[in-house]
Amino acid sequence: LLTDVTINELIKIEKAITLDLGGKKVTATSKKAFEVYANATIKNGTIEAANRCVDTRKAVELTLTDVNLIADKYTTHGNPQPLTIGGSENGTKVNMTNVNISAAAGYGIITFVKTELNATGCTISGYNALYVKPGSEESVFNFADCDLSGSTAGNDVEGNSFSTIAVRADDVTVNVDADSTVSATGNYCWAISLESKYTNENGITGANITVAGAINGKVLTSVDVNANTITVKAEYADDLVACGYVALDNGDGTVTAHIHVYESQYFAATNTENAYTVYTCSCGDTYTEVEEGTVLHAVVNVQTGDTYTDLQAALNAAAKGDTVKLLKDTAAEGIYVGAGKTVDLNGHKLTVTDYISASFATTHIVDSTNGDGLLVVNGADVALNSENKQLPLWTAEGVRFVTV
C-alpha cells in the first residue's frame, strides 16, 4: 500500500500472494476485511474491521508479520473476531510474528477447524485471547514470548464468564512458554477454562494445556473437566486445588493437574511420592492416598475403554456385543447381564451375594485367563427349582445362562 485505504466490501484472497501494507492502514466498514482462500502472507501494517479482519476459509498457510488486527467494538455483526480460522477444511496453519490482535468486546483468535498456530512476540486480547470452538479437535497452539489477556470489562456479570484461553474441543494442545504472560481481568474471567462442547453435554477430553509463564488473575475454572492435563508454575498449585483439581509437583518448578473424572471424584496420576491421590469434587478438601499401582476402577468396557467403579453400571452402559472386563476382585449384591453382553473375569474373583440374571442364552461370563478367574455365587441361586428360571452353567464358552 502507498496510502491508507477504506474498503466497503470484503476482499477475497484467492491466489498465493504477499500483501505488504507498507506501514499503512486498511479500514473495513463491512463485517469482514479479508477472506483467505489461498496461501498468503500479510505484513507491515494495520487492518481494522467491524467484525473480522482476516478470516481463513480453506486449509491454507497464513503468515502474519508486523501486523495489527483491530476489531474493538461490538456491532450488529456480533462479537468481533479479528483473526478467524474457519471454513470447512481442517489443516489450516498460521504463523504469527510481532502481531497485535485487539478485540475488546470479542475473541482475539477464534478457531472452528483443526489448526496449527505458532505465535512469537505477539499481543492478543479480548474477552478471550484464544477461543477454540467445536470442530477444532486435535489443534495445536504454540505461543512464545507472547502476552495473552482476557477481560470481562463492561460485561462482568455472572453467566457471562470468559477466559483468556477457552477450549471447547477435544484433544487440543496449547503451549505457552515461560517468556509469555497470561492475564485474566474481572470477577468472571479466568486464565484457562475447559468447557463442554454443547449445553448439557459431557465436558471435553484430551486437552493438554501448559502455561509455563506468569498468570495474572484467577487461574482455572472447574467447568466440565474430564481427562485433561493442565501444567502451570508451582506457585499456582493452591489455585488448582481450590477448584478441586490435583496439583502434582513435577520437580521443575511446575505442577500438573492430570484429572480423570468419574462419579464425582478426580483420579490423579502418580505424584512425586509414588502415590495416587483421589480428590472429591468438594474443592480438594477431602482426599485419600493409596499405594502406587492401586487400581482405582473395577471394570473396563473393552470396546469403548470407559472405566467404572461398579459392575452393574458398566453393564448398563454396555451395548449388545460389548465385553466388560474386571480390573480387580469385585463384589456385587446382584447383577443383570443384558442380551449379547459378556463379563470377562480376567483372572479376578466376582462375588455375587444375591442373584445373577440375564436376558438370553447369548449372555456369558468368561475368563480370558483360562482358569484364574472365579465366580462366587449364593448356593440358592444355582439350585434347580421352580424359583430359578435361569441358571448359570459352565460350558466350553464360559458361564452360560440357561432357562429351565
Side-chain angles (χ1 to χ4, degrees), residues 96-112:
M96 300 171 24
T97 305
N98 297 328
V99 174
N100 172 53
I101 299 177
S102 180
Y107 320 114
I109 300 172
I110 186 169
T111 69
F112 297 88

Side-chain angles (χ1 to χ4, degrees), residues 272-289:
T272 53
E273 296 178 352
N274 294 322
Y276 288 94
T277 304
V278 181
Y279 278 84
T280 70
C281 284
S282 55
C283 292
D285 59 356
T286 303
Y287 69 94
T288 57
E289 291 188 356

Side-chain angles (χ1 to χ4, degrees), residues 46-275:
T46 299
I47 302 171
E48 184 170 0
N51 185 261
R52 302 183 183 185
C53 301
V54 178
D55 184 354
T56 64
R57 307 306 300 167
K58 295 282 189 179
V60 300
E61 183 166 349
L62 173 67
T63 300
L64 301 172
T65 304
D66 298 323
V67 171
N68 301 306
L69 303 180
I70 302 171
D72 272 338
K73 298 178 181 179
Y74 183 90
T75 69
T76 56
H77 299 297
N79 295 104
Q81 305 165 15
L83 178 56
T84 302
I85 303 171
S88 58
E89 296 181 359
N90 287 319
T92 297
K93 184 174 182 179
V94 179
N95 299 305
M96 300 171 24
T97 305
N98 297 328
V99 174
N100 172 53
I101 299 177
S102 180
Y107 320 114
I109 300 172
I110 186 169
T111 69
F112 297 88
V113 295
K114 181 180 178 180
T115 302
E116 178 187 337
L117 184 144
N118 300 291
T120 302
C122 298
T123 300
I124 306 160
S125 63
Y127 283 156
N128 307 118
L130 173 65
Y131 189 7
V132 185
K133 296 272 285 183
S136 306
E137 286 74 17
E138 300 181 354
S139 291
V140 178
F141 303 90
N142 298 307
F143 297 93
D145 193 20
C146 293
D147 291 324
L148 284 68
S149 61
S151 173
T152 53
N155 198 16
D156 194 22
V157 294
E158 188 172 5
N160 279 340
S161 59
F162 294 98
S163 57
T164 308
I165 299 170
V167 177
R168 295 181 63 197
D170 293 336
D171 303 314
V172 169
T173 299
V174 180
N175 296 310
V176 182
D177 78 350
D179 294 322
S180 299
T181 301
V182 176
S183 301
T185 304
N187 293 320
Y188 299 100
C189 187
W190 288 264
I192 303 166
S193 69
L194 307 172
E195 302 179 12
S196 60
K197 291 183 284 186
Y198 304 104
T199 304
N200 298 324
E201 185 171 302
N202 290 333
I204 64 164
T205 62
N208 192 327
I209 299 178
T210 298
V211 178
I215 297 176
N216 300 316
K218 290 184 286 188
V219 174
L220 189 64
T221 65
S222 55
V223 179
D224 292 330
V225 177
N226 182 28
N228 301 293
T229 301
I230 300 169
T231 302
V232 296
K233 295 176 69 175
E235 63 191 85
Y236 307 122
D238 290 343
D239 296 84
L240 302 186
V241 174
C243 292
Y245 297 84
V246 182
L248 306 177
D249 189 351
N250 296 320
D252 61 358
T254 65
V255 292
T256 294
H258 184 63
I259 309 148
H260 298 272
V261 178
Y262 179 75
E263 290 187 347
S264 300
Q265 288 186 317
Y266 296 95
F267 299 100
T270 307
N271 66 17
T272 53
E273 296 178 352
N274 294 322

